[in-house]
Amino acid sequence: MTEQHATCPPYPWEPFNPIRAWTAFWGLVGDRDDTRYVFAFFRAVNGRSMGHIVSRFANSDFGRSQIEDRTRFADVMLDRKTLESYGRGTFAAAYLHYLDSENLNPLGVHEAAVENAPELYAQLEAEYPEFASMTYTLHLAHDLHHVLTGYGRDPLGEALLLTFNGNQNGTRGSRLLGMFAGLRIRSEIWQWPVGRMMANARRMARESQDLVTTDLTKYLHLPLAEARARLNLVPDPLYREVRDAWTGPEPVSAKA
């Protein structure tokens, strides 16, 4: 099925399916490292909610440049020699440290998505080039978002980043998965002020620059604090305090 708005390219969507979403969520609770459940959850709940984000991306200067040639964005992120040349304390240095400390590949999120649904992504490339380019770009930007927001890959950090992204870009899947993961974490560790941290993530999403339409690679050479300031991103100190003080077991809830 496709949807067409005056300023929105056609994009694929599926009817909202709460049963599939609930099954996918509990699959993630059982194995939070299995990204198949993340993508299954998004496909089950996103529905028509992607229209606004597709429109914003496709009608922005950055989006149009990505639709025309998405390789430049990826090439910058894969050029480790240049990123290292920016020096200590930069956004690039923080990004490389994040990748190395988590043993991540810059293309990992996108590769996992394609591996989980190769026929779908082949269809996107053939029939929905604008949507395919947006999806590819957001997949690559996911780790940049972690660095900029200060949210880690721990279950709490992932839930908060989902909340941030879902509230900023308007995608129902990220917003709901973040909320469900937050509620699950709150049920496991009652001492954590999860509600306050979720509210802080929503506030940061409202106040920051639109990351969907922003070429984040243009900020990599800057000191991390300056890059955050230019994007009006202020990491939540409460999240950092909670994480630094916690010595107990990690919650088993979902991550993306």
Side-chain angles (χ1 to χ4, degrees):
M1 305 174 76
T2 63
E3 177 181 80
Q4 180 81 55
H5 297 304
T7 59
C8 179
Y11 66 95
W13 63 274
E14 300 177 19
F16 182 80
N17 190 322
I19 295 177
R20 282 179 55 196
W22 193 242
T23 301
F25 175 73
W26 283 104
L28 265 178
V29 171
D31 184 359
R32 70 187 186 90
D33 291 312
D34 193 334
T35 56
R36 292 178 302 170
Y37 294 118
V38 177
F39 299 118
F41 184 90
F42 288 166
R43 290 181 65 182
V45 304
N46 272 336
R48 298 175 183 266
S49 72
M50 297 295 289
H52 293 298
I53 184 174
V54 178
S55 294
R56 295 208 315 273
F57 180 81
N59 289 286
S60 68
D61 291 340
F62 173 56
R64 284 190 291 268
S65 71
Q66 283 295 97
I67 293 167
E68 181 178 343
D69 179 15
R70 74 181 71 165
T71 60
R72 188 205 60 81
F73 187 76
D75 288 345
V76 171
M77 295 176 65
L78 292 168
D79 185 358
R80 188 176 184 100
K81 184 176 181 180
T82 298
L83 295 179
E84 289 176 341
S85 74
Y86 295 146
R88 297 176 61 182
T90 61
F91 179 17
Y95 171 62
L96 292 176
H97 174 73
Y98 174 82
L99 293 179
D100 293 345
S101 62
E102 298 289 346
N103 193 28
L104 297 174
N105 167 10
L107 301 177
V109 174
H110 184 69
E111 290 175 349
V114 174
E115 182 180 352
N116 287 327
E119 294 182 358
L120 171 63
Y121 280 87
Q123 179 191 17
L124 295 182
E125 295 291 346
E127 301 178 21
Y128 307 98
E130 296 91 350
F131 186 84
S133 181
M134 183 197 72
T135 301
Y136 177 81
T137 303
L138 292 181
H139 285 167
L140 266 63
H142 180 79
D143 293 328
L144 298 177
H145 293 178
H146 268 291
V147 175
L148 288 169
T149 61
Y151 294 131
R153 292 185 77 236
D154 58 284
L156 177 61
E158 291 286 5
L160 293 171
L161 183 61
L162 283 164
T163 299
F164 169 85
N165 283 334
N167 281 272
Q168 188 186 74
N169 61 37
T171 53
R172 186 187 297 141
S174 294
R175 191 168 64 251
L176 287 180
L177 185 54
M179 181 183 69
F180 290 162
L183 290 172
R184 174 69 187 186
I185 290 170
R186 181 65 177 80
S187 72
E188 295 178 49
I189 306 177
W190 60 267
Q191 301 98 317
W192 285 0
V194 175
R196 287 168 56 197
M197 288 184 282
M198 301 281 275
N200 290 342
R202 291 192 294 269
R203 180 167 52 252
M204 182 162 56
R206 290 193 303 270
E207 297 175 352
S208 65
Q209 186 169 314
D210 185 2
L211 302 190
V212 171
T213 61
T214 301
D215 184 354
L216 296 178
T217 64
K218 293 183 177 179
Y219 297 80
L220 286 164
H221 69 286
L222 298 172
L224 178 59
E226 183 176 347
R228 285 170 168 164
R230 291 195 184 187
L231 296 165
N232 204 27
L233 286 164
V234 181
D236 181 12
L238 180 59
Y239 163 73
R240 194 68 268 157
E241 291 170 9
V242 167
R243 290 305 317 168
D244 290 345
W246 183 249
T247 57
E250 289 295 311
V252 300
S253 300
K255 75 173 184 179

